[in-house]
Amino acid sequence: MSANQYFPHLLAPLDLGFTTLSNRVLMGSMHTGLEEERNGFEKLAAFYEERAKGGVGLIVTGGISPNFRGRVAPFGGELSKWWHVKKHKAVTAAVHKYPTKICLQLLHTGRYGFHPFSVSASNIKAPINPFKPKALSEKQIWKTINDFAKSSKLAQDAGYDGVEIMGSEGYLINQFSCKRTNHRTDAWGGSIENRMRLGVEAVKATRERVGKNFIIIFRLSMIDLVEGGNTWDEVITMAKAIEAAGATIINTGIGWHEARVPTIATSVPRAAFAWVTEKLMGEVNVPLVSTNRINTPEVAEQILASGQSDMVSMARPFLADAHFVNKAAENRADEINTCIGCNQACLDHVFKQQRATCLVNPQACYETELTFDKTDNVKRIAVIGAGPAGLAFSCYAASRGHEIELFDAADEIGGQFNYAKQVPGKEEFYETLRYFKKQLQLLNVKVNLNNYQDSESLIAAGFDDVVVATGILPRTPAIKGIDNDMVLSYLDVLKYHKPVGERVAIIGAGGIGFDVAEYLVQEHSTTTTPELWYKEWGIDTSYQHPGALEPFIENEKPKRKVFLLQRKSTKVGAGLGKTTGWIHRSTLKNHDVTMLNSVEYDSIENGKLCLNVNGAPQILDVDNIIVCAGQLSNNELYQQLIDQGQSAHLIGGADVAAELDAKRAIRQGAELASTI
């Protein structure tokens, strides 16, 4: 059977006239942080080469500014001088070892630039940035247009097959195209024809500079999701003008960074925005690319087969699995390490000026540093605990040739992932467990479930090494009456499914507290029911309103009243992920959850939780109290093994119990496997 018979639309070539893409998969732009690291381009070349080797048809790099003022940050990437070209050649040479094309994304951040030199259409400060931009003069606008064209020519000199001009997500070109940020009264403001001029002229100037045989992708904001966004007629008008100016492909941009609608988090339904790309199909003649939360070949194939777009863009799925396309082509889709949309190691890292990587694939962006060469010293290793840390270690260590036996007292692999996957919006965790289960089979790891091991049995079995990944134990706070029957642990709720009343207090507002709260207030998962999700977030799929936002959102009153409590005086949920915490807070607010900080607990008695909030006494009448007050490391076995002279290692929650951190657990398991 030929490769394209498994996913015939996804794997079909795309003829662009002057060149042909090997398939319909575009690896979307992602900033990795390697762009600014010392010797980062060598690591970046290895990162992109692995994805090219994995079969992707077209790669778009992370955003590089065409000039100084457009940089993401003071030392952000820029391609504006001839001496910038050399380091990029390492990237293009690496990718071109394979039949993959690569385009440089040209990104002028405008008012999103995190520095005092930012500029925009008007001097209106972004709500997510402390710096107020200066309004560009007409002379500066023409210089910026020339900078886009000049950078495109430098990209061509560096060996890129094309460029993507970033015109969405609320960056400079998008700031010009929308009334929200363009209050100009000259020839660059007012009508859509004036507001879209910057983008159109940038494409036109670029085409003139690079010639006919060079890919120009334009990332068009098809749905702004902010007040003052464009109407659908304005989107069509701009798309047609961009095509006429010389664009080869139009990519879909979804939402501004300041939009209060989630667009790529795990709670967003798969392919939730493919409908907007489909809406533009037939209005222009260049290929259109759909994007956002497309993370399996089955979803991608369905989009293409139903005519919603000509290509699909996937970004983070290529962090999760560099060989996504090849695995699909070889009928090994069940071996794909699926992106779960968590944002924890990619976007959250980038926003903290850390190198991006991936929770489920810690090797992403560490291709030259975290390696798993075959071992010359094969060991027989027992792994105790089949949670994320134990699973990661087992698979990576087995791939190096070690003989691995995995033990868990439970009847299924996954550890705490088995509770997380039940939380509405976290269904993607099922995919991670499916991936690990398949890897254990392929790597011949001997899995022993319902199997409790102690130090004596492990030592008697004669293992060379024992890796202890026994996870955590829930912490019980010292509150008078905590042993009352109305008090439940989060495991009682998520693991044992004990009944919970209509009025509930949750002690602890970390990640687990939020998970339990969402589990209790959402009767149906909107993630698996897109129509409910659109309604919840006020997305106008008929596109009758500017920015495709409904003017008013009416949320149904929940059947259960929940109080989410924390001791800390900081905002409830402040410790959640930087790019997803606001989503969880908004979800709970929409379900009428009361969130209280600065709480001191006095006692629990007769259906009442007595506490002090900011020093003021308060009594909550509740049916149940659920304890989510942190964890303790379950490391007793490790200490027993060490005391008895057994070579042992401690990883995951058993090592550090601070919140349930799958990102750290999986990376720790991988790092140990790479050196053992």
Side-chain angles (χ1 to χ4, degrees):
M1 183 179 283
S2 64
N4 64 5
Q5 285 180 277
Y6 298 124
F7 298 98
H9 297 85
L10 186 69
L11 300 169
L14 180 62
D15 185 359
L16 298 178
F18 58 88
T19 191
T20 299
L21 303 179
S22 58
N23 53 58
R24 304 299 180 103
V25 182
L26 182 152
M27 175 178 159
S29 173
M30 291 176 286
H31 193 81
T32 67
L34 291 171
E35 296 86 351
E36 290 81 37
E37 278 192 24
R38 182 181 294 275
N39 300 319
F41 270 75
E42 295 172 19
K43 298 172 185 176
L44 198 62
F47 169 74
Y48 286 124
E49 180 178 348
E50 193 65 20
R51 276 78 197 158
K53 183 180 178 182
V56 66
L58 177 61
I59 291 172
V60 177
T61 71
I64 301 291
S65 179
N67 58 31
F68 174 76
R69 289 185 180 272
R71 290 179 173 191
V72 173
F75 300 101
E78 179 182 345
L79 180 59
S80 60
K81 306 290 190 297
W82 63 266
W83 58 82
H84 293 158
V85 168
K86 183 179 179 181
K87 60 185 179 181
H88 286 271
K89 285 185 175 180
V91 170
T92 58
V95 168
H96 288 149
K97 294 175 186 176
Y98 304 91
T100 296
K101 310 292 184 188
I102 182 166
C103 294
L104 177 86
Q105 187 187 75
L106 289 174
L107 167 67
H108 192 304
T109 56
R111 71 177 191 161
Y112 283 167
F114 200 80
H115 52 75
F117 309 105
S118 62
V119 292
S120 186
S122 303
N123 62 341
I124 303 168
K125 190 173 83 66
I128 58 174
N129 196 338
F131 298 102
K132 188 175 183 179
K134 291 185 172 62
L136 285 167
S137 67
E138 181 156 17
K139 183 178 179 181
Q140 288 174 318
I141 291 172
W142 283 111
K143 183 182 183 306
T144 302
I145 290 165
N146 183 63
D147 289 341
F148 272 103
K150 180 183 176 184
S151 285
S152 299
K153 185 64 176 74
L154 291 172
Q156 191 175 44
D157 293 343
Y160 287 101
D161 300 288
V163 293
E164 177 176 78
I165 295 175
M166 184 54 155
S168 65
E169 264 71 15
Y171 291 115
L172 180 72
I173 290 174
N174 208 181
Q175 291 161 26
F176 266 81
S177 68
C178 285
K179 293 177 181 177
R180 176 183 181 84
T181 42
N182 187 339
H183 296 181
R184 302 176 73 100
T185 56
D186 60 5
W188 303 90
S191 67
I192 184 58
E193 288 76 14
N194 286 356
R195 300 197 314 272
M196 71 185 185
R197 272 184 78 195
L198 174 60
V200 172
E201 294 292 345
V203 173
K204 192 182 297 182
T206 295
R207 178 57 73 201
E208 290 173 359
R209 192 73 61 95
V210 298
K212 294 186 295 183
N213 299 335
F214 193 69
I215 299 169
I216 299 178
I217 307 168
F218 188 84
R219 185 84 172 268
L220 175 69
S221 186
M222 292 192 200
I223 179 170
D224 293 312
L225 297 175
V226 290
E227 293 178 6
N230 282 340
T231 66
W232 180 244
D233 285 344
E234 289 173 328
V235 171
I236 294 174
T237 299
M238 187 167 179
K240 290 181 174 179
I242 290 295
E243 178 185 23
T248 318
I249 296 170
I250 294 179
N251 197 358
T252 302
I254 306 291
W256 290 36
H257 285 310
E258 62 203 70
R260 303 314 284 174
V261 176
T263 56
I264 59 173
T266 188
S267 58
V268 178
R270 290 176 175 177
F273 296 100
W275 63 270
V276 75
T277 314
E278 181 182 19
K279 200 172 174 68
L280 193 62
M281 290 285 282
E283 298 286 355
V284 292
N285 297 310
V286 295
L288 298 181
V289 187
S290 53
T291 187
N292 285 41
R293 286 288 287 130
I294 303 166
N295 66 342
T296 72
E298 292 82 6
V299 171
E301 177 70 16
Q302 176 59 32
I303 289 169
L304 297 171
S306 62
Q308 291 184 288
S309 64
D310 302 291
M311 293 186 72
V312 290
S313 171
M314 292 177 273
R316 295 170 303 161
F318 286 100
L319 284 176
D321 198 323
H323 294 262
F324 182 106
V325 176
N326 282 350
K327 288 180 180 179
E330 295 163 7
N331 199 25
R332 296 190 294 127
D334 61 341
E335 295 178 34
I336 291 173
N337 196 359
T338 305
C339 168
I340 61 174
C342 68
N343 291 5
Q344 291 179 33
C346 49
L347 287 174
D348 284 354
H349 277 211
V350 169
F351 278 99
K352 291 186 287 187
Q353 284 78 54
Q354 298 174 357
R355 189 194 306 188
T357 183
C358 179
L359 181 147
V360 300
N361 176 23
Q363 202 174 16
C365 297
Y366 287 83
E367 284 76 14
T368 63
E369 296 151 274
L370 184 58
T371 58
F372 302 99
D373 299 327
K374 289 290 183 181
T375 182
D376 294 325
N377 181 23
V378 175
K379 293 183 177 182
R380 185 166 165 261
I381 304 172
V383 182
I384 315 303
L391 290 169
F393 174 83
S394 296
C395 292
Y396 286 117
S399 74
R400 294 190 60 217
H402 292 299
E403 296 176 10
I404 307 297
E405 281 201 52
L406 177 61
F407 298 88
D408 200 294
D411 60 1
E412 60 182 341
I413 66 167
Q416 300 283 333
F417 264 30
N418 288 309
Y419 318 135
K421 71 186 183 185
Q422 301 175 60
V423 176
K426 290 194 172 182
E427 290 84 358
E428 294 291 7
F429 283 74
Y430 281 97
E431 297 289 352
T432 304
L433 295 177
R434 180 265 312 152
Y435 168 76
F436 274 126
K437 188 174 183 179
K438 183 69 177 181
Q439 292 301 306
L440 293 172
Q441 293 171 1
L442 293 172
L443 294 164
N444 296 314
V445 173
K446 186 177 180 183
V447 180
N448 306 280
L449 298 176
N450 293 307
N451 193 311
Y452 175 80
Q453 293 288 318
D454 57 24
S455 59
E456 285 74 20
S457 63
L458 290 167
I459 292 171
F463 289 103
D464 298 313
D465 268 298
V466 178
V467 174
V468 179
T470 42
I472 54 85
L473 299 169
R475 190 178 72 85
T476 302
I479 302 172
K480 182 182 177 183
I482 196 71
D483 55 352
N484 193 296
D485 288 343
M486 68 184 292
V487 179
L488 305 172
S489 74
Y490 68 86
L491 291 179
D492 289 328
V493 177
L494 297 178
K495 182 177 181 180
Y496 301 111
H497 300 109
K498 291 187 177 180
V500 178
E502 293 186 1
R503 289 179 62 82
V504 183
I506 299 174
I507 294 176
I512 303 169
F514 269 82
D515 278 354
V516 170
E518 291 186 42
Y519 177 80
L520 292 175
V521 297
Q522 296 194 63
E523 286 188 70
H524 307 286
S525 173
T526 58
T527 302
T528 54
T529 317
E531 292 72 22
L532 291 177
W533 185 81
Y534 298 135
K535 181 181 178 182
E536 179 182 10
W537 292 99
I539 298 171
D540 171 22
T541 54
S542 67
Y543 222 131
Q544 297 299 306
H545 301 94
L549 276 184
E550 295 284 2
F552 176 72
I553 305 173
E554 184 176 3
N555 292 300
E556 295 180 10
K557 195 164 183 66
K559 294 180 180 178
R560 184 178 272 128
K561 177 60 186 175
V562 173
F563 299 87
L564 185 59
L565 315 172
Q566 75 172 30
R567 291 182 185 273
K568 295 178 182 176
S569 60
T570 53
K571 181 169 65 174
V572 176
L576 299 178
K578 191 172 178 65
T579 60
T580 54
W582 69 271
I583 301 172
H584 297 298
R585 286 190 293 271
S586 295
T587 298
L588 295 190
K589 184 179 178 182
N590 291 341
H591 287 85
D592 197 32
V593 172
T594 299
M595 292 176 262
L596 300 175
N597 60 6
S598 303
V599 174
E600 294 178 2
Y601 306 100
D602 287 341
S603 64
I604 298 166
E605 52 188 73
N606 301 323
K608 300 182 188 299
L609 174 59
C610 303
L611 39 81
N612 287 287
V613 181
N614 283 311
Q618 191 168 330
I619 296 175
L620 297 180
D621 289 308
V622 291
D623 302 308
N624 289 106
I625 297 165
I626 302 172
V627 179
C628 305
Q631 304 83 34
L632 302 171
S633 291
N634 184 13
N635 55 17
E636 185 178 347
L637 173 62
Y638 170 76
Q639 197 57 53
Q640 291 171 351
L641 290 167
I642 294 297
D643 291 345
Q644 295 175 61
Q646 171 67 49
S647 176
H649 308 268
L650 192 62
I651 59 173
D655 179 36
V656 180
E659 274 300 326
L660 295 182
D661 190 348
K663 177 185 71 175
R664 184 188 54 76
I666 291 174
R667 172 163 288 277
Q668 195 175 20
E671 289 175 345
L672 177 60
S674 73
T675 57
I676 199 165

